[in-house]
Structures are given as C-alpha cells and as structure tokens.
C-alpha cells in the first residue's frame, strides 16, 4: 500500500489536471486502517499536495484539503513542526477558508505538544499570522485561530510570547478593525484568563480585561450586552469571580439593573445582567447572592410576570437554575407571597401559550420540585409538596393533560415533572391515588419518540430506585416497574398474528 501511495504521489508531479490522481490517492488513503496509516505515510513527502493547493480550481483544492487532513492527523505534532511548518504557515494566508482551517487545526495540535510548541514559539511570523486570522471575515477561521492561541496559553512560555512581546501590539491592532473583531479578541482573552490565576494575571496586566470591563457601561447597548456575556464567562472560574469582585463588577452590574428601569433600551441587556447573577448564585451561594444583591431576585420575579416573552424566558431559566439547589429553594420560599405569584404564573405558562415558553416553564418547575434522596428532610419535602399544590387545584391532572398533547417536547417536559416528584414519598402517594396513573406509566404505547421513551424510562427508574416506592405503590406495581426497567426503554413486546384460512 505504501508503494502505491508513493507511486500516486510521484504521478502527481507536472500534471496539468491532477483531479483523477488526487481522487485515487484519497481512495487509497481511506482504505488504510487508522492505526496503520502512520506507518504508511511517515517518511513520505507530501509537499506536492501542498503545492497543488495553489490553484483556482475549487475541486482540486478541496481534494487536497481532504487528503492532507487525513495524512497530517496521522503524523505526530513534532513531525509536523519539523517537516511541514513552512507549508502550514503558507496555508494561513491561503484564499480558501478550508485551507486556513486545516493549517490552524494542525498548529493547534502542535502547540499542545511541549517539543512541537518550542518550534512554534521560535517562529514569530506564524503566531502573528494566527493572530491576524482572528480578523478574518469567515467566523470559522477566526474560531479556529482563537482555539489554537488559547491552547498556546496553557504554558508560561506561551503566555510570555503572547503578552510580553510585540504580539500584544498585533492583538490590539487586530482589535481596532471592528466591533465584531474586538469581541473575538475579548473571547480569546476570557478563554485564556479562565485557565488559571496566573493566566488571568497576564491578561489583566495587558489592560485588555479592564478594556472589556469598561464596555459594560458604554453608550452602545448592543456592545454592552455582548460585554456582559463575556464577563459572565469570566465568572465561571473561581479566580475569575474573585477578580471581578475586587474590581467592583458585581456592584456595578447590580447598579445597572437598578438603573435599567429608566432606560427604554434596557430590554436589550437586562437578560444578560440577570444571567450573570444567576450563574453567580449557582457557583457561589444563592442565599449570599440574593441577600447581597436583592435587586437581582426582585428583577427575576418581575421578569417572570412580564408580558415580554424574551424577559419571561430568561426569568424561567434563572428560576430553574437557582431553584435546582436546596439553598435556592429556601431563598425563594422566604419571599412568601411573591414567589407564590411567580409559581402561579409558571403554571399558567406551562398550560397555555407559545410552545417554547411552555417547555421552559415545565423544565423550570421540574428543577424547582427536584429533591435528591439525601436532601429529603421533613421541611424540604413539605416545601416541594406545597409548591406542587400551588400549580393547580388538581396538579396531577394538569400535568397529565400536558403529557397527552401531541407535542413531544411538552410530553417530555411533563414527564420530567413526574420524575422530579417520583423520588419523594408525597409524590408517590399522589401517583398511586390518581386513577389510571400507574397504567399510564407502564403503557409503552404513549410517546413514541426516542426522547419520550427515554423520559418515561427515567421516570420508571426514579420510582424503582426509591426506598419508599415498594411500600407506597404496592408490590404488584413495583414488580411491573422493575420488569419495565429490566426490559429497557425501547422494548417492544412480540405480538403473534394468527391468519385464519378464508378470512376476509
């Protein structure tokens, strides 16, 4: 096979129309098992394929890219750096985006390997060109460049090269091209900052983070909204949150929510501010965040009652996120009538309205009602039971009615609520006392999509795994549930068809 690849490569030299030969080479390479490919291609020189990239024939270029993708992935990063560095650097400035992405992907592989990284760090021009690729028109090229540079920053030499040489000036030059490209550089900086406190220090000292934070209060509300997304990503790491707190950003965002009431354009950025605090609450402490920044919780409740679907959607997601934690549930419960009004609104949204909001309501309700077995204290069980009964006068009927509607996403959302209460004794008692409910659970003919079958299977599994289910549901139902679980989510019972001679 190696000999045939060698002869195919030799046959490509000096041909005016190499399409047929390239297709033969691609076929030959695809026929080689992945584990044997490295032995087949190592030692061969594929420079002729790189040369054939310099063509206006799109089919020829695409074939070359396909072949090189296959070959280069089989080679070690060190082998790439030693033998194809110049060719890959040329690929970075190729007019075809697929060639650029190929080169950037391989450079990304190299910078993950200590020995190959050294080769790249010693080649200033490659790194400068990769940075300039962030300013490319095609987003896919920019994304791949960001990914490769982010990998480079996992080492101190990489950080030194990006932030302590004139490459920092190159980054700032690229940023100046447009608002869109400026935010691509911010995306890179936030990714690098998230790796470790040390990498955050490099980014902070470069002034790029303070520039990003300054955009939070800029005049352009769309830029402000994008900045909030970036800052939320930065807050995902503990050292990122500490840095933001030191810079007073939490207080600033809290004040922005407060000031938004007089801003007619606030609907463009308020959802981002609320998401920021929602993420913060989950990562730190819902109680601490809600008590320190009460405007956040008040705004979420207000948005849940808002007529604007965009506001409602973010409020539902945030309520579900924060309320998925025990601490979040307790914080909401303390607000008394305020939260009861929100729950009533969530119930209304789940029962009627636009499908997307119905699904988000159902998901939020299931998160609010979920209690892991180890969390099931008497107080918390009483809390979730009281919330369930606030949904409707007949909440089991209400959720059952939603589960029978011909929309798979609503059917699955309703089943997730039943799964949420299935591990709790009060939920099991409601199930056994609701006529025909156990038959509904065990009926495999309802919900024929894969998602519906998986959701039903999860519900059955939750019941079977509960320590109280056998006693509350009774042994007959419990044995049938265990059989359902053993048979799996997609089991179909064999039906014998008897044909009667002479039947119509």
């Amino acid at each position: 096979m190696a000999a045939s690849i060698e002869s195919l490569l030799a046959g490509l030299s000096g041909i005016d129309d190499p399409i047929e030969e390239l297709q033969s080479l691609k076929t030959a390479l695809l026929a080689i098992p992945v584990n044997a490919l490295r032995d087949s291609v190592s030692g061969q020189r594929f420079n002729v394929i790189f040369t054939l990239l310099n063509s206006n024939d799109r089919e020829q270029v695409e074939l070359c890219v396909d072949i090189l993708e296959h070959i280069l992935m089989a080679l070690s990063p060190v082998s790439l750096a030693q033998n194809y560095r110049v060719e890959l650097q040329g690929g970075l400035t190729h007019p075809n985006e697929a060639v650029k992405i190929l080169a950037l992907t391989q450079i990304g592989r190299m910078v993950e390997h200590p020995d190959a990284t050294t080769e790249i760090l010693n080649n200033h021009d490659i790194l400068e060109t990769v940075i300039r690729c962030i300013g490319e028109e095609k987003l896919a090229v920019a994304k791949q460049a960001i990914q490769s540079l982010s990998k480079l920053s996992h080492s101190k030499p990489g950080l030194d090269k990006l932030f302590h040489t004139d490459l920092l000036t190159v980054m700032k030059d690229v940023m100046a091209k447009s608002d869109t490209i400026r935010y691509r550089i911010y995306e890179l900086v936030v990714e690098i900052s998230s790796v470790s406190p040390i990498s955050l220090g490099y980014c902070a000292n470069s002034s790029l983070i303070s520039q990003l934070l300054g955009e939070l209060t800029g005049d352009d509300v769309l830029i402000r909204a994008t900045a909030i997304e970036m800052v939320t990503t930065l807050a995902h790491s503990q050292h990122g949150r500490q840095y933001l707190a030191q810079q007073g950003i939490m207080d600033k965002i809290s004040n922005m929510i407060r000031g938004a009431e007089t801003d007619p354009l606030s609907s463009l950025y308020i959802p981002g501010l609320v998401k920021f605090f929602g993420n913060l609450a989950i990562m730190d402490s819902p109680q601490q965040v809600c008590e320190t920044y009460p405007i956040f919780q008040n705004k979420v409740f207000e948005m849940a009652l808002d007529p604007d679907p965009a506001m409602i959607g973010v409020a539902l997601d945030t309520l579900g996120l924060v309320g998925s934690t025990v601490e979040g549930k307790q914080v909401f419960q303390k607000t008394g009538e305020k939260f009861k009004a929100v729950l009533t609104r969530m119930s209304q949204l789940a029962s009627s309205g636009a499908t997307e909001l119905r699904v988000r309501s159902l998901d939020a309700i299931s998160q609010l009602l979920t209690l892991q077995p180890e969390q099931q204290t008497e107080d918390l069980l009483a809390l979730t039971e009281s919330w369930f009964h606030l949904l409707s006068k007949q909440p089991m009927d209400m959720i059952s009615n939603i589960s029978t509607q011909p929309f798979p996403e609503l059917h699955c959302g309703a089943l997730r609520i039943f799964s949420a209460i299935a591990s709790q004794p009060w939920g099991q008692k409601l199930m056994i006392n609701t006529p025909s409910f156990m038959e509904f659970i065990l009926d495999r003919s309802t919900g024929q999509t894969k998602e519906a079958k998986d959701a039903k299977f999860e519900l059955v599994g939750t019941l079977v795994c509960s320590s109280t289910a056998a006693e509350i549901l009774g042994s007959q139902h419990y044995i049938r549930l265990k059989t359902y679980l053993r048979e799996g989510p997609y089991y179909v019972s064999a039906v014998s068809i008897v044909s009667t001679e002479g039947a119509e």
Side-chain angles (χ1 to χ4, degrees):
M1 186 59 77
S4 68
I5 289 174
E6 200 170 327
S7 59
L8 285 166
L9 284 168
L12 284 167
S13 300
I15 300 182
D16 291 334
D17 185 9
I19 298 290
E20 194 175 324
E21 283 77 7
L22 285 169
Q23 286 171 334
S24 299
L25 177 58
K26 180 180 172 180
T27 304
L29 286 166
L30 289 173
I32 303 171
V34 175
N35 55 355
L37 188 59
R38 181 174 295 171
D39 295 335
S40 300
V41 299
S42 59
Q44 309 243 15
R45 296 296 292 162
F46 293 93
N47 306 65
V48 63
I49 311 291
F50 281 100
T51 304
L52 291 171
L53 285 169
N54 300 318
S55 166
N56 293 323
D57 186 324
R58 191 167 184 84
E59 185 185 1
Q60 178 175 317
V61 172
E62 285 174 357
L63 271 170
C64 289
V65 169
D66 287 346
I67 290 166
L68 287 169
E69 273 180 350
H70 207 59
I71 292 165
L72 299 180
M73 288 305 288
L75 298 174
S76 71
V78 174
S79 175
L80 284 176
Q82 290 171 346
N83 298 312
Y84 296 106
R85 193 176 65 249
V86 173
E87 286 83 357
L88 289 170
Q89 185 175 350
L92 294 174
T93 53
H94 195 282
N96 186 302
E97 69 173 299
V99 180
K100 286 193 178 92
I101 291 170
L102 169 73
L104 287 164
T105 304
Q106 298 307 322
I107 289 166
R109 285 182 64 214
M110 285 187 249
V111 298
E112 285 183 299
H113 191 285
D115 295 335
T117 301
T118 306
E119 297 272 355
I120 300 297
L121 289 173
N122 290 335
N123 194 314
H124 192 85
D125 291 346
I126 282 190
L127 290 174
E128 180 175 338
T129 313
V130 172
I131 291 169
R132 295 201 183 280
C133 281
I134 297 175
E136 285 284 334
E137 183 184 343
K138 299 286 186 183
L139 181 60
V141 174
K143 287 280 186 190
Q144 196 61 56
I146 290 168
Q147 198 176 326
S148 297
L149 290 167
S150 179
K151 289 174 182 175
L152 183 69
S153 68
H154 286 221
S155 69
K156 187 178 184 302
L159 287 166
D160 285 335
K161 188 74 177 178
L162 282 176
F163 293 101
H164 290 169
T165 69
D166 65 350
L167 289 179
L168 180 59
T169 307
V170 175
M171 272 198 265
K172 291 180 177 179
D173 287 347
V174 172
M175 284 179 91
K177 290 179 76 171
S178 71
D179 290 344
T180 302
I181 292 164
R182 185 165 80 255
Y183 272 89
R184 291 179 188 172
I185 295 288
Y186 286 148
E187 184 182 335
L188 170 64
V189 169
V190 167
E191 276 197 30
I192 293 172
S193 299
S194 300
V195 173
S196 70
I198 292 170
S199 59
L200 172 59
Y202 275 85
C203 294
N205 291 335
S206 73
S207 79
L208 291 173
I209 292 192
S210 56
Q211 190 176 335
L212 167 61
L213 298 179
E215 309 246 20
L216 282 174
T217 49
D219 294 333
D220 188 322
V221 289
L222 292 176
I223 286 179
R224 200 183 301 177
T226 312
I228 291 157
E229 280 185 37
M230 297 282 179
V231 173
T232 302
T233 304
L234 186 57
H236 284 165
S237 65
Q238 188 177 1
H239 60 270
R241 292 195 295 281
Q242 287 173 344
Y243 175 80
L244 292 172
Q246 288 162 4
Q247 302 300 310
I249 296 304
M250 282 68 163
D251 292 327
K252 182 179 280 190
I253 291 178
S254 175
N255 290 333
M256 286 170 72
I257 294 176
R258 195 171 284 109
E261 291 171 12
T262 57
D263 184 353
L265 297 174
S266 64
S267 62
L268 294 170
Y269 60 84
I270 273 288
L273 301 177
V274 166
K275 282 182 190 174
F276 172 83
F277 275 120
N279 280 284
L280 200 64
I282 280 294
M283 289 177 285
D284 278 351
S285 154
Q287 183 176 341
Q288 186 182 329
V289 169
C290 290
E291 286 179 358
T292 310
Y293 309 102
I295 188 72
F296 157 62
Q297 185 174 273
N298 292 338
K299 179 54 75 173
V300 175
F301 287 1
E302 183 187 309
M303 286 166 68
L305 304 172
D306 196 292
D308 182 350
M311 293 293 175
I312 299 168
V314 172
L316 291 170
D317 296 345
T318 306
L319 287 162
L321 186 67
V322 177
S324 66
T325 67
V326 165
E327 201 176 295
K329 288 174 174 56
Q330 291 166 328
V331 168
F332 291 157
Q333 180 74 343
K334 281 180 191 172
T335 65
E337 294 302 316
K338 283 185 182 178
F339 186 64
K340 286 181 182 178
V342 168
L343 256 183
T344 303
R345 172 71 164 144
M346 291 170 79
S347 172
Q348 292 164 353
L349 289 165
S351 299
S352 60
T355 302
E356 187 199 349
L357 284 183
R358 295 184 71 184
V359 171
R360 287 165 91 170
S361 285
L362 292 167
D363 284 346
I365 291 167
S366 71
Q367 287 176 293
L368 287 165
L369 294 173
T370 298
L371 272 182
Q372 300 304 325
E374 65 275 10
Q375 300 168 340
Q376 292 180 14
T377 63
E378 196 174 321
D379 287 351
L380 286 169
L381 286 167
L383 179 151
T384 51
E385 185 175 10
S386 69
W387 284 1
F388 187 71
H389 286 288
L390 283 171
L391 296 174
S392 162
K393 287 181 180 177
Q394 297 292 335
M396 288 295 286
D397 291 347
M398 171 198 148
I399 306 299
S400 292
N401 288 339
I402 295 171
S403 76
T404 58
Q405 293 181 15
F407 300 100
E409 57 268 55
L410 293 177
H411 176 76
C412 293
L415 287 176
R416 281 192 286 273
I417 291 180
F418 287 137
S419 289
I421 67 171
S423 68
Q424 302 174 59
W426 63 261
Q428 294 163 10
K429 286 172 186 170
L430 280 175
M431 289 177 177
I432 197 65
N433 292 327
T434 301
S436 305
F437 188 80
M438 294 309 298
E439 284 66 29
F440 161 71
I441 292 181
L442 292 160
D443 182 1
R444 287 186 179 271
S445 68
T446 60
Q448 290 303 300
T449 64
K450 179 184 182 299
E451 292 75 17
K453 290 176 187 291
D454 288 342
K456 177 75 78 72
F457 189 69
E458 183 187 345
L459 169 54
V460 171
T462 303
L463 284 168
V464 170
C465 293
S466 168
S467 60
T468 56
E471 183 185 346
I472 294 172
L473 302 177
S475 58
Q476 188 180 352
H477 288 308
Y478 189 70
I479 289 166
R480 290 178 68 195
L481 288 165
K482 285 186 78 172
T483 303
Y484 190 116
L485 195 68
R486 188 176 66 251
E487 289 169 346
Y490 315 118
Y491 176 79
V492 179
S493 59
V495 178
S496 58
I497 300 170
V498 181
S499 58
T500 308
E501 192 176 341
E504 289 292 317

